[in-house]
Amino acid sequence: MSSDYEQVEVPAAGSKISYEDGSLEVPDDPILPIIYGDGVGSDVGPAAQAVLEAAAEATGREINWMRVYAGESARERYGEDVHLPEETVRAYEEFRVGIKGPLTTPVGSGFRSLNVALRKELDTYANVRPTYHLEGVPSPVKAPEEMDMITFRENTEDVYAGIEWEAGTDEVERVREFVEEEMGADDVIHDGPVGIGIKPITEFGSKRLIRRAIDYALEHDRDSVTLVHKGNIMKFTEAQFRDWGYEVAEEEYGEEVITEDTLWEERDGEPPEDAVVVNDRIADNMLQQILTRTDEYDVVATMNLNGDYMSDACGAQIGGLGIAPGGNFGDGMMLAEPVHGSAPKYEGQDKVNPTAMILSGRMMLEYMGWYDAADLVRDAVEETISEGLVTYDLERQLEDAEKLATSEFAEEVVNNIEKLA
Ligand code: NAP
């Protein structure tokens, strides 16, 4: 076991998860790195830890946590300029499966998103965000149970790639000159200061993400994969993503995958049994469709920015960001991460809902093949909420519910794990 970490304590007990020939070997006592995160991370991190530990124990296993640092906690240990230490990235690379809380990104100036940097460093190219309704959770829509979607969001490119130049710099003027004089886009950019960003969408990045979404749909008996894009406007990036998606569907699978066009041309709209239908929707339409035709959507594959917007909107329909889980997946690597951010105004108040972080941990348990422990976590969370024991975000929408602190809610979930096990 490597122990050349400076500020990080490698647990004395526990074993490493390994990955060989495309398959993950998970011991019963894995070492799992965890970043609590900024803001409310210091509340939801320990809460999720307690619940996941209890679920592991109840199913005859043991989690050995390895605390690693990013954001504020890294600056405190490694120095003011170190936002994402090299050894944090190395820990996730070495131990392969882990979890993280939210990290703050300053708007405008300051350092770039550590979340984006970590996903890119680890090449966890698919940000997977399931949105399903838990019984008893209040929602702003009439039929929240119709929402059972899973969004595969490309995690390494798009306008998130960080290729942009600030107004007033020499660099941005050189890019403007190149675009206007060499690429012929004159009369497009207004005179005066301008900021310019680049949106790379590659065949490689698009196809591996879409493949993953289709594979998931096939393995989990889902009916459709919807490619969400704004290809009517961004013809050479977002429309290309759609076209590469249809190429994957048509060229890499047999009869079990069929495109919507073929379905109508050849089968009068009637899909073959057990087939996955691949279709596409324009992003703005899709944002209203998830509200008006919720039950028609199943698995979604989309680019980075669309995926970010869409999954927050889906999260709202099933009870808000306090509930919505997520995970970043690479090849033989997974980093669980809730959809929500660091909610700085609630920092240190032991107040927010840890469910999103707990259910992200549940995705991690599933990835490790610990399905019994994962089911236990979901059942115990659902049971706790059904008993009317909830945090502030749900309590304000429910009659007769009891408002609990983050840590109290986690304790109740642990109690229910022990009861249900
Ligand atoms: P946010 O932190 O997600 O919070 C927005 C609102 O969502 C909160 O004010 C709260 O709403 C609700 N909320 C979030 N987490 C909750 C929880 N666990 N329980 C209950 N309610 C919850 O979004 P933000 O304020 O836009 O962003 C704050 C910082 O987080 C920014 O620096 C941003 O860059 C960062 N961020 C990080 C990640 C990440 O680490 N992956 C993701 C998104 C944003 P109410 O006040 O209405 O109750």
Side-chain angles (χ1 to χ4, degrees), residues 348-370:
Q349 295 181 26
D350 195 15
K351 174 175 173 132
V352 300
N353 194 343
T355 301
M357 182 88 171
I358 292 170
L359 294 179
S360 303
R362 171 181 183 245
M363 290 173 71
M364 178 179 78
L365 300 182
E366 280 184 332
Y367 185 68
M368 286 158 50
W370 295 7

Side-chain angles (χ1 to χ4, degrees), residues 201-203 206-207 210 214 227-232 234-252 259 261 278-280 301 303:
I201 301 292
T202 64
E203 177 178 6
S206 304
K207 284 191 168 178
I210 292 161
I214 296 177
L227 308 167
V228 176
H229 60 87
K230 188 73 186 160
N232 50 335
M234 289 169 271
K235 295 182 191 301
F236 303 134
T237 50
E238 302 234 347
Q240 189 63 71
F241 173 89
R242 179 202 62 173
D243 294 349
W244 281 322
Y246 280 129
E247 255 176 54
V248 169
E250 281 163 0
E251 293 171 9
E252 299 185 16
T259 64
D261 280 352
V278 176
N279 54 24
D280 74 280
M303 287 147 285

Side-chain angles (χ1 to χ4, degrees), residues 40 44 100-106 115 119 129 321-322 337-346 352-354 356 391-393 396:
V40 296
V44 297
K100 70 172 274 292
L103 294 169
T104 298
T105 311
N115 306 302
R119 294 169 196 158
R129 296 179 163 184
L321 288 184
E337 175 186 29
V339 172
H340 69 74
S342 56
K345 65 180 174 184
Y346 298 127
V352 300
N353 194 343
T391 44
Y392 87 98
D393 51 323
R396 69 186 169 190

Side-chain angles (χ1 to χ4, degrees), residues 41 76 99 220 279 299 360:
E76 279 163 13
I99 185 165
H220 293 83
N279 54 24
V299 178
S360 303

